[in-house]
Amino acid sequence: MAEEEEGKEYRWETGYEKTWEAIQEDDEGLLEGSVAEIIQRAKRKRQAERHGNTRLGMMRHLFLVIDNSDCMSNQDLKPTRQLCTIKLLEGFIDEFFDQNPISQMGIIITKSKRAEKISELAGNPRKHIKAVQQLTQVACSGEPSLQNALELALRSLRMLPSHASREILILMGSLTTCDPGDISVTVQNLKAQGVRCSVIALAAEVHICHKLCRETGGLFGVILDDCHFRDQLFQHIDPPPAATFLDSSLIKMGFPHHLMQEGKEASLTMCMCHVDSTDGEGGRLNSGGYFCPQCCSKYCELPVECKACGLTLVSAPHLARSYHHLFPVDNFKELEFRDMQDKIELCFACQKRFGEHDKHVYECGTCSRIFCLECDMFIHDLLHTCPGCATNHSTSQSMSNDSVPPR
Amino acid sequence: MKLSVDGLLVYFPYDYIYPEQYAYMLELKKGLDAKGHCLLEMPSGTGKTVSLLSLIVAYMIANPLSVTKLIYCSRTVPEIEKVLEELKKLMTYYEKERGQAPKMVGLVLSSRKNMCIHPQVSKERDGKIVDGRCHSLTASYVRERHNYDDSIPICSFYEGFDIEGREVQLEPGVYSLDDLKEYGQERNWCPYFLARYTILHANIVVYSYHYLLDPKIADVVSKELSRSSVVVFDEAHNIDNVCIDSMSVKINRRIIDRSTANIQLLEQTVNEMKEDDAKKLKEEYQRLVEGLRDASVARETDVVLSNPVLPDEVLKEAVPGSIRTAEHFVGFLKRFVEYLKTRLRVQHVVLESPASFLKDVYQKVCIERKPLRFCHERLASLLRTLEIADLTDFSPLILITHLATLVSTYTKGFTIIVEPFDDKTPTVSNPILHFSCLDSSIAIKPVFDRFQTVVITSGTLSPLDMYPKILDFHPVIMSSFTMTLARPCLLPMIVSKGNDQVAISSRFETREDVAVVRNYGQLLVEIATIVPDGVVCFFTSYLYLESVVASWYDQGVVDSLQRNKLLFIETQDAAETSLALLNYIRACESGRGAVLLSVARGKVSEGVDFDHHLGRAVLMFGIPYVYTQSRILRARLEYLRDQFQIRENDFLTFDAMRHAAQCVGRAIRGKTDYGIMIFADKRFSRADKRNKLPKWIQEHLKDSLCNLSTEEAVQDRCLGVIGYRRNELQQSII
């Protein structure tokens, strides 16, 4: 602490780090970062835990709480904790809306014992990314206040309808929190309101964070390095199982078409999303757009909540993409490559030749095709259909019957 | 689970057993088979209590003749309650597995303060007042008087117990404090007397050390326990000090003054009684002529735990003539107190043996040794005769008679030191007469002689070979067990120098050195920035704590500390300390983080657990040597050297290291717990210090962790070992 403040220290003055000791040999004497293995194992484990046929909170309302206090300028993540976090968040926000198109997100930062909302609860990833990117300009200062941040998030989340899932994800760099009152009351409030709080700690396990997660049913994780950080962060992309007391209700949605008035003299109009933004980009007048079926307001992109009439506007593929979380591809069977060596040579998906490095291969339970680890991950994380089943006529028929959503 | 320990079927109430628990049971079984004493060290949180209980209970069931009773002694009430909980679990398991619980009575005995259910008396906070008020409601003459005068209050619960309680045996089962109280409420019986009566035939008794070790209490409570009992002293790392404290007396001016007042009251009462009821005094006289024969009969049959205060010879003789009548005895006491008063009027330190003290008493006030020996018993008899109900008022006088009896009984192993003033305040006259026991084996000897197996166990008993020497017994089993861990959850480190390479040490010559104090401060600040939640620091003394904190203020260390965590300090004031402790816990719970500065041998270092987030790191600043200038300690060291051939330095190191281990051991209270232990003193890395740490700490103290500077200690590499960042892995394993 005292050293950091002096700040004028050169790298060679900071004493020696025995970096060679951090590298460990694995069982076979190979120098491989043990961290990568941990992450992979954890990923597989998480996948294995996922089952079909559970109720998921699909309309997610997530508040990101970002610690922006003093200790975020710590350099244990390169270049600094703050910059690393921002970089990862950009990817996270994109991916989040890609996988959960009918969800909304808001961003809160906490520093100097205060909490501040830098981005309201909304479904537009670009706006959030911009807000996050602007954080690079903000200096890290003071101590964070967990309670203020939680209260602020709760104030917005409380208003939501009962079918919406409410979540808070906290990125905590600090080991302390400076709160105005008794935080355990806030925790109980959150629990009563059914808000699921998760914490990713960048430094170490802090009791109150752990308790918060345990009480509200969220996940708690401490990162090992930036890769692990990414992994911890991205596991929040999959929608969590719905809380039992979440109501189910019918939601009115609009499916606007993209209209371009061609041929005629197109009248240039502003879209509703950019009507009050002052910066030039996107604020230009154009002729095409999505028109709300209820009130004919124009929007340049979907999904969005209509500003005029409050209707949720989505396109069918969005809904379908959200839907596939409900029917995940069954977990593949893990097989020892050694036993399979004679029978199989190539990964069915990427056509990679299996070699010495592959300890395990993975078999789809339905079509019995064999995949490598990377493809296994890719199929389950992103693709959500098994290429083996999709190319096989009989299985793809049966699959499409139960996985394509009714329009 | 059921398992066989060396052929003995043991029911173990959990599904899993740690290897060290099994090893512990094996050793314990060997000790029970050999009917000898054991000394066993196993870290806290590894299930010592349940291993002990399940093995001994199994042994009692298998060999009902050789072991009939388990006496489990622990230190504090919460610890005692924990034992009862484990015992209940064990009995439930027996019931589940065998269809019926074994026919055993297990119960707890505690002071009246914790057990009283009388609506008014139980409201009192002070233990002594509860005892006094209880006595004034239950003494035999009070109850007698109540028979013809209804206005004299008595305790209905005691009456209830007296009428029915002695006939009925307690149903087999386990009774905790609350169970006993409830049981008492239901039947209108006094739980305290019920428990005291029941321990005679109960199979498992759980109570505090003092009921066995303190001769004043042991005589009343534990004298009729049978020989074929197993006695367990848990958390017994300080047992020698408990022994010594129970045999030592400290007298200052205040006690003298109050006992003078006591004597006046006695005199007055005797005179009054002489006018009203001279017969009673005469009866007492007759009784005394016949001597304390009844007591000696009891002792000959060997059913009584012999009381070291009252040696056998005393019982065989009649009370000497000079103190037989009440007036004479009061006069005798008056003379003795006057004599003590003159002894306190000194300008310089006096150190003398009991023998020369006795001689001096004889010369100055003509008091012989023999009547002095009977002083304690005689006073008790007089108080009974005078029907003085509230004994609390007489505690100073009782203390003085205690001194009289002890000083005339023992000539070896004790010393008398009169100090005219406190060493810290040489100008303020505050004379104290210490009658100090030097030999811890005196108090515990009857226990070792009396019972076939005595088990001494704790988390920190290293070095083991010291205890047999200072307690003067021959254990058949002496073992230290380590903790098997799925991953290293403790990280001991010895930090010997600061960033500027100046060696840090609390040696007397360097402790006030600015560089040392600054380096200590820097170490703490660095630790406070990287460790979440609670950090506990131990200093060697209050004095040193104060001076260090003062210079930290000047150096700005306190400011930078407070940037990360709140700061709490233990003081000598008990109320202040418990307030600080309370707020420390609150700060840790709410995520604010806190640092607690406390003192080895203080209240915090004994008995307060800093488990999980309450102590993620402990720092030991310096080696907690006892204050070596103390005359009592010097006398004891000399005695140990002459009698037991223990070198002074060996004992001091032993004592310091067990306290250091005790302090750092506060942070790890189980396998799921994790924390850093930092020994910040150059001298810790020397082999003679390092080897005296408990095995379970030594095991993790690798050579590479032994001679670190501050920055090496706080490197990520070190913390990575322990899993500050590996929470995930930890969860997957546990």
Side-chain angles (χ1 to χ4, degrees):
Chain A
M1 186 78 203
E3 252 146 59
E4 270 174 36
E5 273 183 0
E6 284 158 27
K8 288 180 189 107
E9 234 172 26
Y10 292 103
R11 180 101 179 103
W12 58 85
E13 285 179 335
T14 55
Y16 44 93
E17 286 173 6
K18 297 177 183 165
T19 44
W20 57 92
E21 282 184 10
I23 303 169
Q24 281 181 347
E25 292 184 5
D26 63 10
D27 303 338
E28 281 146 23
L30 295 172
L31 288 175
E32 237 173 324
S34 46
V35 175
E37 205 183 304
I38 293 165
I39 292 171
Q40 254 174 22
R41 216 181 304 141
K43 248 187 199 162
R44 290 268 327 160
K45 202 177 121 201
R46 250 200 332 277
Q47 258 182 22
E49 278 164 11
R50 213 183 296 160
H51 311 287
N53 294 333
T54 44
R55 239 184 107 198
L56 301 175
M58 293 293 245
M59 288 193 76
R60 300 175 68 185
H61 294 82
L62 175 77
F63 259 108
L64 269 177
V65 174
I66 304 169
D67 180 1
N68 213 21
S69 64
D70 226 1
C71 45
M72 288 301 277
S73 49
N74 199 321
Q75 297 188 342
D76 59 353
L77 296 174
K78 305 294 178 205
T80 66
R81 278 187 193 172
Q82 191 199 24
L83 295 176
C84 183
T85 309
I86 289 169
K87 203 81 206 152
L88 287 174
L89 276 179
E90 287 171 16
F92 172 74
I93 293 170
D94 255 340
E95 190 72 19
F96 179 83
F97 283 107
D98 197 43
Q99 298 288 324
N100 308 282
I102 52 171
S103 300
Q104 297 192 14
M105 185 192 269
I107 299 175
I108 291 171
I109 61 166
T110 166
K111 61 174 195 170
S112 309
K113 302 168 193 167
R114 263 177 272 264
E116 187 191 338
K117 202 182 285 180
I118 59 165
S119 166
E120 280 290 344
L121 209 55
N124 188 341
R126 253 181 265 157
K127 219 175 82 195
H128 295 309
I129 291 176
K130 205 148 118 208
V132 167
Q133 276 165 345
Q134 268 161 8
L135 280 182
T136 47
Q137 321 297 324
V138 181
C140 303
S141 67
E143 291 167 305
S145 172
L146 196 57
Q147 193 187 16
N148 284 337
L150 290 174
E151 292 283 354
L152 188 62
L154 186 59
R155 233 171 287 150
S156 302
L157 290 176
R158 196 178 276 150
M159 301 304 159
L160 294 174
S162 57
H163 59 261
S165 95
R166 306 155 194 201
E167 295 167 60
I168 299 176
L169 174 61
I170 302 157
L171 306 179
M172 190 80 174
S174 171
L175 292 174
T176 64
T177 150
C178 192
D179 298 327
D182 187 1
I183 192 165
S184 52
V185 176
T186 311
V187 174
Q188 288 311 314
N189 271 344
L190 288 165
K191 195 180 169 188
Q193 297 282 334
V195 181
R196 183 177 188 266
C197 302
S198 301
V199 178
I200 297 174
L202 307 193
E205 177 196 341
V206 179
H207 174 72
I208 188 69
C209 297
H210 203 156
K211 189 176 150 203
L212 173 70
C213 298
R214 209 173 44 227
E215 293 275 315
T216 60
L219 297 169
F220 179 82
V222 183
I223 63 158
L224 299 171
D225 59 8
D226 43 0
C227 293
H228 191 235
F229 186 13
R230 187 177 180 281
D231 186 61
Q232 288 277 317
L233 192 59
F234 277 52
Q235 74 180 4
H236 291 279
I237 283 173
D238 298 323
T244 42
F245 52 84
L246 225 55
D247 289 341
S248 36
S249 53
L250 294 172
I251 304 158
K252 201 170 165 190
M253 279 186 178
F255 295 94
H257 293 283
H258 193 259
L259 292 180
M260 274 292 218
Q261 290 125 330
E262 277 174 58
K264 279 181 273 174
E265 182 96 352
S267 57
L268 292 175
T269 47
M270 284 281 262
C271 64
M272 286 292 275
C273 1
H274 292 102
V275 76
D276 46 358
S277 70
T278 45
D279 53 348
E281 177 219 344
R284 268 170 270 126
L285 296 169
N286 53 6
S287 54
Y290 298 96
F291 292 88
C292 171
Q294 198 160 269
C295 63
C296 284
S297 322
K298 190 176 93 167
Y299 294 93
C300 61
E301 61 179 8
L302 294 180
V304 76
E305 189 172 304
C306 177
K307 284 194 182 169
C309 62
L311 189 67
T312 311
L313 304 178
V314 292
S315 68
H318 284 144
L319 210 54
R321 259 216 315 271
S322 293
Y323 206 75
H324 63 224
H325 291 299
L326 292 173
F327 301 99
V329 183
D330 283 340
N331 286 313
F332 290 175
K333 246 188 292 173
E334 191 178 70
L335 302 169
E336 288 283 336
F337 178 61
R338 238 172 292 148
D339 309 340
M340 305 288 297
Q341 221 154 5
D342 321 325
K343 288 176 239 165
I344 195 89
E345 283 183 352
L346 301 174
C347 167
F348 182 77
C350 64
Q351 302 294 311
K352 191 185 83 167
R353 190 172 292 277
F354 291 121
E356 281 300 300
H357 302 297
D358 302 275
K359 275 182 228 158
H360 301 287
V361 291
Y362 301 88
E363 182 188 32
C364 171
T366 329
C367 64
S368 308
R369 303 285 188 191
I370 306 290
F371 300 93
C372 65
L373 176 69
E374 283 78 18
C375 290
D376 173 47
M377 290 295 180
F378 181 70
I379 289 165
H380 286 94
D381 284 350
L382 292 169
L383 207 56
H384 302 292
T385 46
C386 165
C389 303
T391 48
N392 187 326
H393 193 68
S394 60
T395 49
S396 91
Q397 273 297 307
S398 70
M399 275 210 6
S400 59
N401 281 347
D402 49 47
S403 72
V404 172
R407 301 275 159 95
Chain B
M1 66 189 286
K2 281 183 272 187
L3 67 158
S4 157
V5 177
D6 194 17
L8 176 71
L9 177 66
V10 174
Y11 285 77
F12 192 73
Y14 295 97
D15 291 340
Y16 302 98
I17 185 167
Y18 299 132
E20 62 268 29
Q21 285 180 318
Y22 183 70
Y24 189 91
M25 287 191 194
L26 271 180
E27 294 292 318
L28 190 60
K29 164 123 195 319
K30 273 187 222 160
L32 290 178
D33 282 339
K35 295 195 191 325
H37 309 315
C38 314
L39 199 60
L40 301 168
E41 178 186 61
M42 188 155 88
S44 41
T46 47
K48 210 165 28 204
T49 308
V50 72
S51 317
L52 266 169
L53 288 176
S54 48
L55 186 93
I56 296 178
V57 167
Y59 200 91
M60 278 161 75
I61 291 172
N63 310 304
L65 293 177
S66 68
V67 175
T68 53
K69 199 188 212 63
L70 164 63
I71 304 168
Y72 196 107
C73 304
S74 199
R75 253 182 346 185
T76 57
V77 176
E79 273 165 15
I80 288 172
E81 290 281 277
K82 249 188 268 170
V83 176
L84 262 294
E85 252 166 56
E86 292 284 1
L87 188 60
K88 270 185 192 167
K89 239 182 243 168
L90 180 67
M91 291 300 170
T92 325
Y93 184 70
Y94 264 101
E95 201 175 342
K96 208 180 89 195
E97 287 294 312
R98 309 216 308 194
Q100 58 174 37
K103 293 221 174 306
M104 285 188 171
V105 178
L107 87 163
V108 57
L109 177 65
S110 183
S111 65
R112 289 182 174 90
K113 184 179 138 231
N114 297 323
M115 299 187 86
C116 186
I117 51 171
H118 190 275
Q120 280 103 46
V121 178
S122 59
K123 295 271 184 329
E124 297 287 349
R125 294 265 173 77
D126 189 352
K128 273 189 184 158
I129 296 177
V130 176
D131 287 355
R133 289 197 56 184
C134 178
H135 197 256
S136 68
L137 292 177
T138 56
S140 55
Y141 49 82
V142 174
R143 298 174 52 221
E144 215 165 88
R145 253 185 258 161
H146 176 78
N147 283 344
Y148 47 83
D149 183 0
D150 280 342
S151 65
I152 291 170
I154 51 167
C155 174
S156 63
F157 295 104
Y158 180 76
E159 296 303 315
F161 168 71
D162 198 48
I163 293 166
E164 314 158 333
R166 289 181 214 277
E167 321 289 297
V168 190
Q169 285 213 344
L170 218 54
E171 300 263 310
V174 179
Y175 298 88
S176 68
L177 280 178
D178 288 336
D179 295 339
L180 278 173
K181 278 189 194 169
E182 204 176 295
Y183 191 85
Q185 288 283 16
E186 265 171 35
R187 290 182 174 64
N188 209 22
W189 294 355
C190 172
Y192 173 76
F193 283 97
L194 176 67
R196 248 180 72 174
Y197 175 73
T198 313
I199 60 170
L200 297 181
H201 64 80
N203 305 83
I204 301 161
V205 180
V206 186
Y207 57 34
S208 148
Y209 287 179
H210 297 279
Y211 289 112
L212 265 187
L213 291 181
D214 193 331
K216 289 160 268 180
I217 314 176
D219 192 39
V220 185
V221 177
S222 311
K223 64 179 176 187
E224 283 170 19
L225 300 178
S226 78
R227 177 171 167 72
S228 53
S229 306
V230 176
V231 178
V232 177
F233 288 105
D234 198 358
E235 302 288 331
H237 44 271
N238 270 346
I239 195 164
D240 56 321
N241 292 340
V242 177
C243 293
I244 283 180
D245 285 347
S246 68
M247 296 291 277
S248 299
V249 182
K250 213 163 84 178
I251 289 176
N252 56 16
R253 276 238 178 95
R254 206 173 123 73
I255 291 176
I256 296 273
D257 292 344
R258 284 176 58 202
S259 53
T260 319
N262 285 164
I263 292 175
Q264 271 165 5
L265 185 68
L266 268 186
E267 204 170 11
Q268 200 185 333
T269 328
V270 168
N271 283 336
E272 274 169 22
M273 183 167 262
K274 216 155 67 183
E275 281 161 20
D276 317 340
D277 198 1
K279 204 179 92 201
K280 250 191 196 154
L281 287 174
K282 247 179 226 146
E283 271 170 21
E284 188 200 18
Y285 184 86
Q286 282 308 319
R287 216 167 48 230
L288 294 174
V289 172
E290 282 173 27
L292 304 164
R293 206 163 294 149
D294 296 347
S296 92
V297 168
R299 187 167 296 183
E300 271 161 18
T301 52
D302 202 28
V303 288
V304 181
L305 177 76
S306 69
N307 176 354
V309 175
L310 201 65
D312 285 341
E313 308 90 71
V314 178
L315 296 174
K316 291 191 185 112
E317 296 171 51
V319 175
S322 57
I323 56 169
R324 253 180 247 165
T325 62
E327 301 106 308
H328 290 171
F329 180 60
V330 172
F332 173 88
L333 280 180
K334 233 191 222 166
R335 282 211 308 276
F336 188 62
V337 171
E338 280 305 317
Y339 171 74
L340 288 178
K341 216 188 231 168
T342 58
R343 289 305 304 263
L344 282 181
R345 223 175 282 138
V346 288
Q347 297 304 317
H348 53 92
V349 177
V350 179
L351 203 154
E352 67 182 341
S353 68
S356 77
F357 179 84
L358 286 175
K359 201 173 152 213
D360 198 46
V361 177
Y362 182 66
Q363 281 169 352
K364 297 261 172 61
V365 285
C366 297
I367 291 180
E368 287 178 55
R369 182 174 171 184
K370 201 173 157 199
L372 267 185
R373 280 172 120 178
F374 287 86
C375 227
H376 193 66
E377 293 293 305
R378 181 66 187 88
L379 180 69
S381 158
L382 183 65
L383 290 177
R384 261 199 307 276
T385 315
L386 295 181
E387 303 188 350
I388 292 168
D390 196 352
L391 289 176
T392 43
D393 292 346
F394 282 90
S395 59
L397 192 60
I398 291 171
L399 195 69
I400 287 196
T401 57
H402 195 81
L403 166 75
T405 306
L406 280 174
V407 79
S408 52
T409 310
Y410 296 99
T411 46
K412 231 182 90 184
F414 286 82
T415 190
I416 293 165
I417 298 170
V418 188
E419 288 180 322
F421 44 74
D422 203 335
D423 272 347
K424 284 168 207 153
T425 51
T427 48
V428 184
S429 162
N430 177 25
I432 297 178
L433 183 141
H434 298 275
F435 176 73
S436 174
C437 174
L438 304 175
D439 189 347
S440 46
S441 64
I442 293 175
I444 203 168
K445 191 166 181 294
V447 178
F448 281 129
D449 291 349
R450 181 88 202 90
F451 299 109
Q452 64 179 23
T453 304
V454 176
V455 181
I456 292 183
T457 186
S458 172
T460 51
L461 278 179
S462 294
L464 284 175
D465 53 346
M466 189 59 94
Y467 285 89
K469 278 193 212 158
I470 56 176
L471 297 178
D472 195 21
F473 74 109
H474 301 285
V476 290
I477 302 285
M478 227 167 41
S479 282
S480 174
F481 303 91
T482 95
M483 189 157 31
T484 47
L485 293 169
R487 51 169 219 127
C489 78
L490 71 159
L491 176 71
M493 288 189 277
I494 296 174
V495 176
S496 59
K497 47 192 184 281
N499 282 342
D500 49 7
Q501 303 301 314
V502 173
I504 49 179
S505 167
S506 69
R507 278 178 67 202
F508 185 70
E509 295 81 23
T510 60
R511 66 167 67 160
E512 302 296 338
D513 190 346
V514 187
V516 171
V517 174
R518 190 189 56 229
N519 276 332
Y520 275 149
Q522 213 159 38
L523 177 65
L524 180 57
V525 170
E526 299 263 344
I527 289 292
T529 37
I530 57 167
V531 173
D533 298 328
V535 174
V536 190
C537 307
F538 289 100
F539 287 82
T540 50
S541 66
Y542 287 104
L543 218 63
Y544 189 50
L545 168 67
E546 280 159 26
S547 78
V548 167
V549 171
S551 35
W552 280 355
Y553 260 112
D554 300 337
Q555 293 170 356
V557 172
V558 172
D559 282 341
S560 33
L561 255 185
Q562 281 183 326
R563 211 166 296 150
N564 293 300
K565 294 193 190 300
L566 302 182
L567 190 63
F568 296 96
I569 299 176
E570 181 191 359
T571 63
Q572 263 154 321
D573 186 77
E576 225 169 65
T577 302
S578 47
L579 189 69
L581 206 59
L582 199 77
N583 284 318
Y584 170 80
I585 291 170
R586 266 183 60 196
C588 292
E589 303 256 294
S590 70
R592 185 67 191 80
V595 175
L596 180 69
L597 305 182
S598 58
V599 171
R601 297 165 196 277
K603 179 179 169 245
V604 170
S605 71
E606 283 285 329
V608 180
D609 284 353
F610 296 103
D611 49 352
H612 295 103
H613 58 284
L614 297 183
R616 283 287 180 232
V618 242
L619 293 97
M620 182 79 237
F621 289 132
I623 299 182
Y625 279 117
V626 64
Y627 176 61
T628 46
Q629 301 304 309
S630 146
R631 291 182 185 85
I632 300 170
L633 179 75
R634 292 212 157 165
R636 187 170 173 208
L637 287 177
E638 213 164 281
Y639 183 83
L640 286 176
R641 193 186 54 205
D642 295 346
Q643 297 297 318
F644 299 116
Q645 285 78 47
I646 299 169
R647 281 190 301 152
E648 291 168 13
N649 219 355
D650 283 354
F651 182 78
L652 286 176
T653 311
F654 151 76
D655 188 58
M657 290 313 285
R658 74 170 165 182
H659 275 101
Q662 188 58 31
C663 290
V664 297
R666 297 281 105 199
I668 304 283
R669 305 310 288 178
K671 297 198 170 199
T672 57
D673 206 348
Y674 62 91
I676 303 182
M677 303 169 165
I678 292 181
F679 299 92
D681 194 311
K682 195 181 77 174
R683 292 171 292 170
F684 276 116
S685 47
R686 280 190 212 149
D688 68 319
K689 309 280 189 304
R690 226 178 110 186
N691 294 342
K692 290 201 169 69
L693 284 172
K695 206 168 147 196
W696 58 277
I697 296 181
Q698 250 183 70
E699 196 180 52
H700 294 272
L701 190 61
K702 298 185 201 82
D703 282 339
S704 59
L705 296 174
C706 269
N707 195 6
L708 303 177
S709 68
T710 306
E711 65 197 358
E712 285 172 315
V714 298
Q715 254 187 35
D716 213 35
R717 159 182 81 96
C718 291
L719 304 179
V721 175
I722 192 164
Y724 276 106
R725 312 193 129 213
R726 307 244 167 135
N727 165 271
E728 286 257 308
L729 297 179
Q730 177 196 4
Q731 281 174 343
S732 63
I733 287 161
I734 290 158

